[in-house]
Amino acid sequence: MVSVSGALALVSAGLYLDGRTRFSRDLKFGIPGLRTKLWFQRLVNNNDISMYNRFEDQCLLRPYSVALIFEAHSYTWRDLELASNRMAHWYKDRGIGPKDRVAMFMSNSPLFVISWLALLKIKAVAAFINNQIVGPVLLHSLKTANSDVLVFDYELRGALEESIQGIRELGYRTIVTVTPKEQVLTRFDEHFKGVEERFFDFMDWQECSAEGFSRASREDVVIGDAVALIYTSGTTGFPKAAVMDHGRCTLAISVWTGICRITEKDRTYDCLPLYHSAGAIIGIGQSWISGSSVVLARKFSTSGFWKDVREHEVTLIQYIGELCRYLVNTPEDPALDKAHKVRLMFGNGLRPDVWRKFQERFGVTTVFESYTMSEATSALFNLTSGEDGAGAVGFRGPLVRAFQGGLRIVQVDLDTEELVKDKDGYCIECAPGETGELITLADSKKMENRFVGYYNQPKLSQAKLIQNAFVQGDQYMRTGDLLYKTKDHFWYFADRAGDTFRWKGENVSTAEVADTLGHVEGIASCTVFGVSVPEQDGRAGMVAIVLKDTYWEEDKDAPIPVATAAPVERDSAAGGDAQFTLATVPQKLNEKALDEFMDRLAKHAIKRLPSYAIPRFVRICESELEITGTFKNKKVELKKEGFDLEKIHERLYWWTPKGRYVPFGQRQLEELHAGRARL
């Protein structure tokens, strides 16, 4: 019999050891990981690896339960199955078969999901084309898909019409809209057009057979076969098409479901673009494992987000990038902010300066943050409900490392972006607290570490790989991301390798600076980058800031714009709410409020940042920062413009030796070029 004092001693010892090793946290990832591996191996052994089969499993288990909710309409598993059967027959009748590619240029809607399911059913491959791109970037993406069939939503026809000659030259012979014919012909400008006047045809898939396709027809699907081609976000150039295969996608959605404990009783809110892996593979795909219902939004809207969540009794919300920042920056509503049933939020890119603000304001207790990329060979996960681990993109205790090896943080030269090697030519692993580049094992012999690469781009795929990183014969994938880990097994994102810059002999992480400045009251959003300065080594930090609406006021001295007959559509960069107005009231910055803000910004920077990391230039933006469809800031144009007064007509400030920000104009620019400025 153990005495009370002995029992207390054992409990204390257990708590101490758990605090040191965080074994209980390790179990949250290790157990679902082990279950997934065993389950996945059974699928492989039974020739049952097709991701479509996971959807079919739910159709058999709960045919008349709600699978998808979209704009007040509900669709059961049976509804989606029959609709995708019809569309699959349409594709098959046009000669689409196994491994053939079909370019999908579509918005979020049930038709996107139905088209994807139809192609999976017949073992064809959907190429998800970003619906925000136009011109050369659109043509590049369509060329990479290497298809001759293009399906699109009618509302996106403008982008296709302006590039139709180039699209035809790429070999696209079948261009059809999935938008119902009767809906298109209700438009006055389409009603009187003849067939020869349209560059597209109608996809009359509803008239096809609803007969299903046998499960046996997909037994030859292997783990390396493509589920879809999904394009990278294109923050640094033309997007690349990553091959999302049945093996990795099935593993991913199973791990998500297991760690988040998603069941058929849950409802997930998915407002992310379906052309991206987060919105489609994770947001939609997890329901094919769990049986949960997905509440799908056409796009993210700050005003519609919580309204949808409350109306549909959502229990899980999905986020990415700066989405949570936009929600935190909306006006507070104490009566409604916590009036919901959300138990968990999952996604990636939740920055530390927003993390706790979001949880505290909206009362979402648990966050499942992850780190991965479309072409990645591994991933990081962090499930946390409090301060412990907030801000980390991953947790890798002993148990997780045992089941999921192959992630290393290694030293990198930030100037050349070359990996640092030891005397024997091998990579040098970073110590806890030391920032380096994350590399992940790329081993074709291990199902969980396979590198598939980019479709139709072998040179770009090979450029991501390094051989003989730690031993002869090994192979790793370079992520291009800088991370660091702590002694208590948490891993944190630091920056993109190309974004980190050197100033005064020190490395400056743009992400860390942006996170720090993001705590200054008044900032709606900001992004940090390095700019070249005449007669100076390295790059100086510059921050572009969007201020909250309270810093703007009506400009009574400006001429009142004349109203036009046609409404002008205004849509925020956050994917927010389109508004229609006949005239825009001129706005100007409140000078007193701006001066007070710049003073607070300087004091905060001095207090929270090392001197070399304080941005030397500040740009006050008059419009939203340009972002990708997945809520990542685009910095290319900002870097090009720098502090060039001929290109910039917004407020600029620079840092003085007195520790203040003062306006930057032509005189200051001349001082800079003359080498008289002290930065």
Side-chain angles (χ1 to χ4, degrees):
M1 191 79 175
V2 180
S3 65
V4 173
S5 59
L8 289 173
L10 285 171
V11 170
S12 298
L15 291 172
Y16 172 77
L17 287 172
D18 190 51
R20 295 275 294 180
T21 65
R22 285 179 164 78
F23 188 70
S24 59
R25 182 185 289 270
D26 226 7
L27 287 173
K28 292 179 182 178
F29 303 106
I31 292 176
L34 177 59
R35 286 174 178 163
T36 293
K37 278 195 173 185
L38 295 174
W39 170 78
F40 185 80
Q41 191 57 56
R42 286 199 298 271
L43 295 182
V44 174
N45 294 342
N46 295 331
N47 298 321
D48 190 24
I49 201 62
S50 171
M51 192 169 162
Y52 177 82
N53 291 353
R54 310 288 72 79
F55 168 80
E56 189 175 75
D57 290 341
Q58 301 306 322
C59 294
L60 294 171
L61 283 170
R62 48 186 64 84
Y64 302 110
S65 296
V66 174
L68 189 68
I69 300 169
F70 181 76
E71 297 181 346
H73 295 283
S74 296
Y75 303 84
T76 66
W77 294 96
R78 181 65 172 161
D79 290 336
L80 295 181
E81 181 183 30
L82 292 177
S84 59
N85 283 347
R86 294 183 189 278
M87 195 175 286
H89 281 290
W90 187 95
Y91 281 126
K92 194 172 182 182
D93 291 345
R94 269 84 188 155
I96 302 298
K99 300 188 179 181
D100 287 336
R101 291 155 307 285
V102 172
M104 287 173 46
F105 190 58
M106 299 173 66
S107 303
N108 283 18
S109 75
L111 285 173
F112 188 111
V113 179
I114 290 166
S115 178
W116 183 27
L117 285 169
L119 293 169
L120 284 172
K121 199 178 306 234
I122 59 175
K123 300 180 290 187
V125 182
F128 296 165
I129 308 298
N130 183 335
N131 61 39
Q132 301 294 306
I133 59 178
V134 296
V137 182
L138 174 59
L139 290 173
H140 166 82
S141 297
L142 291 172
K143 180 180 180 181
T144 303
N146 192 25
S147 175
D148 61 1
V149 178
L150 169 60
V151 299
F152 71 98
D153 281 328
Y154 179 76
E155 65 184 43
L156 301 173
R157 72 195 180 283
L160 298 179
E161 195 163 18
E162 69 179 34
S163 297
I164 192 60
Q165 183 177 344
I167 294 172
R168 296 285 192 200
E169 290 172 356
L170 290 174
Y172 282 87
R173 299 290 176 260
T174 303
I175 303 176
V176 293
T177 180
V178 293
T179 307
K181 186 175 184 178
E182 59 273 17
Q183 186 176 327
V184 173
L185 294 183
T186 57
R187 291 179 54 94
F188 181 80
D189 58 335
E190 289 288 353
H191 185 73
F192 296 102
K193 280 185 180 179
V195 175
E196 69 283 351
E197 295 179 84
R198 296 191 186 97
F199 70 87
F200 62 89
D201 202 348
F202 294 98
M203 189 181 191
D204 297 323
W205 59 273
Q206 298 96 329
E207 301 171 5
C208 296
S209 168
E211 183 181 353
F213 294 77
S214 72
R215 201 176 185 106
S217 68
R218 294 182 294 277
E219 287 183 352
D220 57 347
V221 173
V222 297
I223 58 176
D225 287 345
V227 162
L229 300 182
I230 295 185
Y231 292 76
T232 59
S233 55
T235 53
T236 57
F238 278 164
K240 301 177 285 291
V243 179
M244 309 301 295
D245 64 52
H246 287 270
R248 286 193 305 137
C249 291
T250 301
L251 278 171
I253 59 177
S254 177
V255 168
W256 243 266
T257 302
I259 294 175
C260 297
R261 298 184 179 181
I262 307 174
T263 73
E264 72 280 359
K265 297 178 181 178
D266 281 307
R267 284 192 168 185
T268 301
Y269 187 62
D270 186 357
C271 61
L272 307 184
L274 293 184
Y275 60 73
H276 189 261
S277 56
I281 305 298
I282 302 300
I284 298 295
Q286 58 78 23
S287 70
W288 301 352
I289 293 279
S290 64
S292 64
S293 303
V294 174
V295 179
L296 180 66
R298 191 173 294 274
K299 67 176 183 177
F300 167 69
S301 162
T302 51
S303 63
F305 187 93
W306 290 111
K307 179 177 176 292
D308 286 347
V309 167
R310 286 190 292 270
E311 180 181 341
H312 297 293
E313 299 185 327
V314 166
T315 57
L316 304 168
I317 57 177
Q318 188 179 15
Y319 64 87
I320 195 171
E322 296 288 83
L323 184 152
C324 293
R325 189 186 301 277
Y326 295 128
L327 293 172
V328 165
N329 285 334
T330 57
E332 293 190 24
D333 187 340
L336 291 176
D337 280 350
K338 296 179 181 178
H340 56 75
K341 296 184 178 182
V342 177
R343 66 174 180 85
L344 181 145
M345 55 191 286
F346 65 88
N348 63 78
L350 181 58
R351 301 305 300 158
D353 63 312
V354 176
W355 191 302
R356 291 298 290 163
K357 288 181 185 177
F358 190 95
Q359 284 188 291
E360 290 166 5
R361 175 177 167 182
F362 297 111
V364 181
T365 56
T366 305
V367 177
F368 178 49
E369 169 76 3
S370 63
Y371 167 91
T372 188
M373 53 182 61
S374 298
E375 66 273 39
T377 64
S378 196
L380 290 164
F381 305 112
N382 178 29
L383 183 71
T384 184
S385 299
E387 291 284 355
D388 190 36
V393 298
F395 175 81
R396 289 180 56 74
L399 190 59
V400 173
R401 294 198 302 272
F403 284 112
Q404 185 204 24
L407 288 93
R408 308 280 192 96
I409 300 174
V410 298
Q411 293 181 8
V412 61
D413 185 320
L414 295 176
D415 291 327
T416 64
E417 296 185 31
E418 294 292 326
L419 299 182
V420 177
K421 303 293 181 68
D422 63 17
K423 60 182 179 61
D424 297 317
Y426 296 123
C427 292
I428 302 172
E429 196 159 3
C430 291
E434 182 183 6
T435 299
E437 182 176 344
L438 175 67
I439 61 175
T440 61
L441 185 65
D443 187 348
S444 59
K445 297 177 183 177
K446 295 183 177 180
M447 60 183 179
E448 68 270 26
N449 296 122
R450 291 172 301 106
F451 176 72
V452 182
Y454 305 118
Y455 178 73
N456 229 12
Q457 295 174 297
K459 289 184 178 179
L460 288 174
S461 298
Q462 193 59 37
K464 295 286 290 185
L465 300 175
I466 56 168
Q467 287 76 32
N468 309 320
F470 298 100
V471 296
Q472 289 296 310
D474 69 8
Q475 181 171 259
Y476 280 75
M477 190 197 90
R478 295 189 63 173
T479 64
D481 288 331
L482 302 178
L483 283 79
Y484 65 92
K485 59 186 177 184
T486 59
K487 291 181 179 179
D488 51 1
H489 312 304
F490 287 108
W491 292 43
Y492 294 83
F493 178 85
D495 211 352
R496 285 288 299 169
D499 287 346
T500 290
F501 58 89
R502 288 181 71 80
W503 178 250
K504 301 300 181 184
E506 300 285 352
N507 296 326
V508 181
S509 165
T510 61
E512 290 180 7
V513 175
D515 288 340
T516 301
L517 298 182
H519 289 284
V520 178
E521 177 56 38
I523 293 180
S525 60
C526 68
T527 188
V528 178
F529 46 95
V531 292
S532 298
V533 179
E535 307 300 324
Q536 297 278 357
D537 292 329
R539 287 182 288 162
M542 186 169 187
V543 57
I545 294 174
V546 177
L547 292 171
K548 291 183 178 178
D549 291 344
T550 51
Y551 287 82
W552 296 85
E553 61 186 7
E554 183 179 342
D555 188 354
K556 297 180 180 178
D557 296 327
I560 299 174
V562 178
T564 56
V568 179
E569 184 175 351
R570 301 174 61 205
D571 199 357
S572 78
D577 312 304
Q579 299 177 351
F580 294 85
T581 179
L582 294 180
T584 303
V585 177
Q587 297 283 305
K588 67 177 182 178
L589 284 161
N590 182 308
E591 297 297 334
K592 184 178 179 180
L594 179 61
D595 289 343
E596 184 269 339
F597 169 79
M598 295 305 300
D599 184 56
R600 283 191 295 107
L601 180 69
K603 290 177 180 177
H604 184 85
I606 290 172
K607 186 176 181 180
R608 299 292 183 185
L609 291 171
S611 60
Y612 61 83
I614 295 173
R616 265 46 183 179
F617 299 91
V618 177
R619 176 174 175 175
I620 303 298
C621 300
E622 295 178 1
S623 59
E624 291 282 356
L625 296 171
E626 188 180 4
I627 58 173
T628 68
T630 50
F631 304 97
K632 297 176 184 176
N633 286 317
K634 288 186 175 181
K635 304 183 183 183
V636 176
E637 287 305 312
L638 291 171
K639 288 179 181 179
K640 286 180 181 177
E641 293 171 352
F643 45 82
D644 188 337
L645 297 179
E646 293 184 2
K647 297 179 180 177
I648 300 173
H649 304 288
E650 296 172 320
R651 298 289 186 93
L652 290 179
Y653 292 80
W654 73 339
W655 186 252
T656 68
K658 294 182 179 180
R660 296 176 58 237
Y661 284 114
V662 300
F664 180 86
Q666 190 60 43
R667 183 173 62 81
Q668 289 76 20
L669 181 63
E670 291 171 0
E671 286 183 26
L672 203 61
H673 283 288
R676 296 194 301 270
R678 290 177 56 200
L679 291 176

